Amino acid sequence: MPELPEVEVLRRSLEPRLIGRRIERVEVRSPALREPLDRRTLRRRLEGRAIVGLRRRSKYLLIDVEGDSTLVVHLGMSGRLTVAPSGAPVEAHEHLAIDLAGGERLRLRDPRRFGVAFAAATAGLLERDPHFVRLGREPLSPPLTGSELAALAGGGRGPVKTFLMDAGRLVGVGNIYATESLFRAGIHPARSVARIGAGRWERLAGAVVGVLEQAIREGGTTLNDFADGTGQPGYFQVSLAVYGRDGEPCPRCGGRIRRLLQSGRSTFYCPACQR
Ligand SMILES: [Zn+2]
């Protein structure tokens, strides 16, 4: 499932290929996504307009066009947004095809159909649209600090890992990234947020930013592959220190890495290094 780093790398890889390009035609080939594609609005808001910017909010990609319109895309579980030659054969599960002046096609494929694509007014989109209003802070822009993280957790008592993954407070920290961040910060995943001091919040904020930036950097080495659709979906091969390494030696102390279940999700940690 694409996570924040994958979407950010996709944004960076598409940006130079899309900015300034005019959308000639929008074709909805198969509207059945999580939210059915609205052919009329997509055409009305996008056709004939040039692309002026690509932004990201959480795992949504926002493609801004002239005249106060934005195409919003979420890749769901299995979506791929790629640029193909305009004459390329239509592929299976190609839901949306956007022909660009100059002869290329931006296409959204989504075999499992959990994705979302819609067009809306740019003004007020992030502030008022129901997809965005409840989203928490972006971890990278600007980089999260320890005091902000402590404030976001303020008043809570639950386990820190559950807090990190709560998109209503902080977006983009999925299971793997939360697990790795807690290892880097030396914090036990089950520790209550009420029992974390300022210094440890600072370390944790730095770890979250560091893990996400590393994933973007490592994924960024395959930028063009992403826009061409040949890049591998799913998690980048960040050097995972503990995730999935139940029973293996801890890279820091040599002790044994353990697994525990939290809210039905696997968490991996070193009982000696994480307190
Ligand atoms: Zn250890």
Side-chain angles (χ1 to χ4, degrees):
M1 174 155 89
E3 293 286 336
L4 183 150
E6 286 82 359
V7 179
E8 178 59 24
V9 167
L10 176 66
R11 187 192 72 75
R12 293 180 190 182
S13 67
L14 288 175
E15 195 169 48
R17 306 176 72 153
L18 295 185
I19 297 281
R21 304 290 296 278
R22 189 168 299 278
I23 293 173
E24 284 186 334
R25 196 175 135 72
V26 176
E27 196 165 334
V28 173
R29 302 194 195 280
S30 161
L33 288 184
R34 172 151 58 104
E35 299 169 19
L37 294 176
D38 178 347
R39 179 181 277 110
R40 265 188 62 207
T41 306
L42 285 164
R43 286 204 157 143
R44 178 171 59 83
R45 286 215 169 261
L46 303 177
E47 284 185 348
R49 307 193 195 196
I51 295 170
V52 295
L54 269 75
R55 294 177 290 151
R56 180 189 55 74
R57 174 74 172 107
S58 185
K59 296 195 279 182
Y60 291 89
L61 184 69
L62 291 88
I63 301 177
D64 297 319
V65 303
E66 304 168 306
D68 190 41
S69 282
T70 298
L71 168 64
V72 179
V73 177
H74 190 292
L75 299 175
M77 307 284 287
S78 60
R80 309 287 296 279
L81 187 66
T82 57
V83 177
S86 52
V90 175
E91 294 207 282
H93 313 292
E94 186 172 320
H95 290 266
L96 182 64
I98 296 177
D99 288 312
L100 305 168
E104 281 183 312
R105 185 162 93 229
L106 179 66
R107 61 181 173 187
L108 175 64
R109 286 177 289 148
D110 191 352
R112 295 182 64 185
R113 302 187 300 181
F114 283 100
V116 171
F118 65 95
T122 309
L125 178 65
L126 296 181
E127 295 77 21
R128 290 196 288 274
D129 185 275
H131 295 87
F132 300 107
V133 283
R134 274 182 289 277
L135 293 178
R137 191 198 188 286
E138 286 288 329
L140 299 180
S141 41
L144 186 69
T145 67
S147 50
E148 285 174 305
L149 205 49
L152 289 171
R157 310 205 58 82
V160 60
K161 177 156 177 277
T162 310
F163 157 70
L164 280 182
M165 293 177 63
D166 177 359
R169 297 178 193 256
L170 181 67
V171 300
V173 186
N175 196 30
I176 293 183
Y177 298 125
T179 298
E180 291 293 316
S181 298
L182 287 164
F183 175 74
R184 286 194 189 188
I187 300 175
H188 194 290
R191 172 172 284 270
S192 163
V193 294
R195 295 184 55 244
I196 296 178
R200 307 188 91 200
W201 280 123
E202 209 54 62
R203 277 217 301 283
L204 183 54
V208 167
V209 170
V211 164
L212 292 173
E213 283 184 341
Q214 185 190 343
I216 290 169
R217 211 163 44 241
E218 294 179 7
T221 58
T222 57
L223 270 186
N224 286 329
D225 299 348
F226 249 72
D228 295 335
T230 54
Q232 291 302 304
Y235 286 97
F236 293 142
Q237 292 305 304
V238 279
S239 351
L240 299 175
V242 287
Y243 190 88
R245 298 187 182 278
D246 188 15
E248 292 181 32
C250 165
R252 194 176 295 153
C253 74
R256 201 166 286 270
I257 292 167
R258 293 206 194 137
R259 183 174 83 103
L260 66 83
L261 276 178
Q262 280 182 300
S263 324
R265 309 295 300 272
S266 281
T267 295
F268 303 86
Y269 69 105
C270 171
C273 296
Q274 294 174 253
R275 300 294 179 133

